[in-house]
Amino acid sequence: MTDQRSAEDRIALWLEQEAAGFLPDQVLDATFERTRGLRQARRSAWRPSSTPRPIPALIAAGAAAVVISLVVSGLPREPDSNGAVIPTTPIGSAPMPVASPSEAGPSTAQPTAQPTTDSEEPWSEPFESRVHGYRIWHPLSWMPARATVHSKSDTFDAPYPSTTRLSILRRSRPADESFDLYVETIPHRAKKDGCHWATSGVIFIPLTQRPFTRTTIAGRDAVVREECGFVDAVIDVEGDVLVIALRTGQRTPGGDRYTFDRFMETLELEPPAPAG
Amino acid sequence: VDRALVESAQRGDHSAFEALAIGTADRLYAIAHLILRDTHLAEDAVQETLVRAWRDLPRLRDPGRFDAWIRRLLVNACADQGRHRRRWSSEIQILGVEPAADDAVGSMADRDQLERGFRRLKPEQRAVVVLHFYVGLTTPEVADTLGIPLGTAKSRLHYATETLRAALEADARGSVAATTGRPA
């Protein structure tokens, strides 16, 4: 049997041998290119309201609707907490049922997330994504991260301590698949019975899964949905789709539609750079 | 780390920040690479870490804690990268690999078995292993760096070490089996 001391020595030796050498210069160059154009946070900076303020109606409803259980049993996976993109069906699991836009049921009032942006926040020069083919404006304090490959999304992070993130990604739509059909393949953030968040216990808000609703974004046909702290949208772009997600990190049935709409008002679509 | 450099960078001196970044980048890269086991993901994690460091540096209250603070940013960035990879690619194939009989001796075997055991660990468990065994932090220092309770750091380290030790023991049994012709 391998004794403890020997095992630890071997682990340390292995890590030393496996450690990478030098960070490539181009990575540092790209990093500095980003930081030179990025303003620093202030010590007493405006705090984005990602921490939910008391919402009387939500609190009142929460007493009945929010169940905190310390015993996790058969807990479904929590909704995508990263918000990088609208997820595809996980490998090895059945696709989740999704309502199509035409199946939009009666609209029910849903508590929405507190806006991350406010009307006083100045917005920057445009952010242009050649990879995904669009231009958008964002608040000065938000940090954009540019995708360098087509498989990754551009992201815009609200300043700390907010965890709000806007993600944008262009994907090809199969030629034989209509826009509506594509939208139907997108899973819900909510489980069948509502929103689940796994923390030290389980936070659960009952919710009927919400369908995408039709809208127009940047002059194009689009669908949008608020669910479990997310606003998700898909824009029909000439054989492609632009997939957009705004994650608030707040535990609310709806999302931050105010901030989402402010972003979308500035969105302009452009032809993307060729892949590869 | 030069405290004066940190303070200058906190005041918006980009040259000072670049000097800090150049001085720490290779070490951060080594840590990220060990945690993520992927060159490109590690590069992304370091870049995200440095960008966040620049942005949030004015909020670092004690410049003397720069090293611990930036390591925490790095581990968080690695966790983000790790989540991304799990979502978009399959690591299933890694778990199914059987050890090659002729590798079952010496350091090559250690490397394979440790690699296999390491990939079974979650990013947060890998981070504890790397900070303890590679960076050389004590368990309380690891807890402080990651902002987690000492008990959590201890349990993560214990679990991770046991997993790696089990991988090494499995190799030892495989070696005996290969020598004696008996199945492991």
Side-chain angles (χ1 to χ4, degrees):
Chain A
M1 176 181 254
T2 309
D3 65 72
Q4 186 69 31
R5 185 68 253 163
S6 168
E8 292 183 357
D9 289 345
R10 290 159 78 181
I11 293 167
L13 177 64
W14 172 70
L15 289 171
E16 194 64 44
Q17 291 171 339
E18 291 292 308
F22 305 104
L23 183 69
D25 286 344
Q26 60 266 32
V27 177
L28 266 181
D29 292 343
T31 303
F32 295 150
E33 190 177 324
R34 286 176 66 187
T35 54
R36 282 176 195 136
L38 183 66
R39 284 171 42 163
Q40 284 185 308
R42 291 184 190 175
R43 287 174 200 270
S44 56
W46 160 73
R47 287 171 66 91
S49 51
S50 72
T51 305
R53 298 170 195 152
I55 309 171
L58 183 59
I59 292 173
V66 179
V67 179
I68 301 177
S69 166
L70 294 178
V71 180
V72 182
S73 176
L75 171 70
R77 287 177 52 203
E78 64 176 314
D80 177 4
S81 60
N82 183 290
V85 290
I86 295 175
T88 55
T89 305
I91 294 169
S93 66
M96 301 176 71
V98 179
S100 71
S102 61
E103 294 169 345
S107 175
T108 53
Q110 302 289 354
T112 56
Q114 288 291 301
T116 307
T117 53
D118 62 28
S119 57
E120 304 300 318
E121 171 78 350
W123 287 54
S124 75
E125 293 298 305
F127 173 93
E128 191 167 334
S129 174
R130 292 198 66 239
V131 170
H132 296 308
Y134 68 90
R135 182 186 300 173
I136 200 168
W137 276 253
H138 61 85
L140 278 174
S141 62
W142 286 47
M143 186 177 71
R146 190 180 299 279
T148 53
V149 293
H150 288 74
S151 59
K152 287 196 171 185
S153 56
D154 297 317
T155 59
F156 304 81
D157 288 344
Y160 179 85
S162 173
T163 56
T164 298
R165 165 178 285 186
L166 179 76
S167 306
I168 303 179
L169 170 76
R170 182 184 286 249
R171 283 183 171 168
S172 297
R173 177 160 54 82
D176 58 348
E177 192 171 293
S178 69
F179 179 65
D180 287 350
L181 198 58
Y182 182 90
V183 171
E184 284 184 27
T185 64
I186 297 171
H188 279 277
R189 301 291 183 181
K191 303 300 176 191
K192 286 183 179 177
D193 56 352
C195 305
H196 294 247
W197 291 274
T199 54
S200 52
V202 181
I203 295 179
F204 166 58
I205 299 178
L207 177 76
T208 303
Q209 288 184 334
R210 309 191 76 189
F212 278 103
T213 55
R214 289 191 178 282
T215 186
T216 301
I217 298 176
R220 306 293 181 119
D221 288 339
V223 292
V224 64
R225 178 186 68 197
E226 285 185 62
E227 211 172 57
C228 303
F230 282 82
V231 181
D232 292 307
V234 188
I235 305 175
D236 190 1
V237 191
E238 294 160 0
D240 291 343
V241 289
L242 206 62
V243 182
I244 303 172
L246 180 72
R247 176 199 67 186
T248 66
Q250 298 177 41
R251 291 169 183 144
T252 53
D256 180 359
R257 187 61 185 267
Y258 173 80
T259 299
F260 177 83
D261 286 345
R262 284 199 70 184
F263 272 107
M264 292 306 105
E265 286 167 8
T266 72
L267 180 67
E268 297 171 2
L269 298 172
E270 298 174 336
Chain B
V1 169
D2 186 337
R3 188 184 179 98
L5 267 184
V6 177
E7 290 172 343
S8 295
Q10 284 187 302
R11 291 191 296 268
D13 181 341
H14 205 275
S15 298
F17 174 75
E18 290 188 1
L20 273 176
I22 289 168
T24 57
D26 289 340
R27 188 69 161 168
L28 294 176
Y29 180 52
I31 294 170
H33 191 267
L34 287 173
I35 293 172
L36 292 166
R37 318 298 298 148
D38 182 288
T39 300
H40 297 298
L41 290 176
E43 290 173 3
D44 285 352
V46 173
Q47 183 171 136
E48 287 306 312
T49 299
L50 292 173
V51 171
R52 285 172 189 272
W54 165 252
R55 189 186 68 178
D56 294 335
L57 200 48
R59 291 181 173 147
L60 174 64
R61 290 177 184 168
D62 179 4
R65 289 182 48 78
F66 176 81
D67 280 337
W69 176 74
I70 201 165
R71 279 194 206 113
R72 185 189 297 192
L73 293 182
L74 179 73
V75 171
N76 289 339
C78 288
D80 284 347
Q81 294 292 332
R83 277 192 287 272
H84 186 273
R85 183 167 67 168
R86 278 202 301 280
R87 185 167 300 119
W88 293 103
S89 67
S90 170
E91 288 189 308
I92 298 297
Q93 56 189 1
I94 293 165
L95 301 179
V97 174
E98 292 300 323
D102 58 354
D103 282 348
V105 288
S107 63
M108 182 62 80
D110 274 8
R111 177 181 293 182
D112 284 354
Q113 298 301 333
L114 286 169
E115 179 77 36
R116 203 168 279 115
F118 199 74
R119 285 185 184 273
R120 293 193 181 101
L121 302 178
K122 296 175 182 174
E124 59 266 28
Q125 294 164 338
R126 297 181 187 184
V128 171
V129 170
V130 172
L131 291 177
H132 180 67
F133 289 113
Y134 176 69
V135 180
L137 302 184
T138 63
T139 314
E141 288 171 337
V142 169
D144 182 50
T145 295
L146 298 180
I148 58 177
L150 178 59
T152 304
K154 282 182 177 175
S155 71
R156 283 184 190 172
L157 184 61
H158 175 76
Y159 175 84
T161 306
E162 286 304 303
T163 299
L164 295 175
R165 196 156 66 94
L168 288 169
E169 287 178 0
D171 171 51
R173 285 196 297 274
S175 179
V176 170
T179 305
T180 60
R182 287 187 286 106

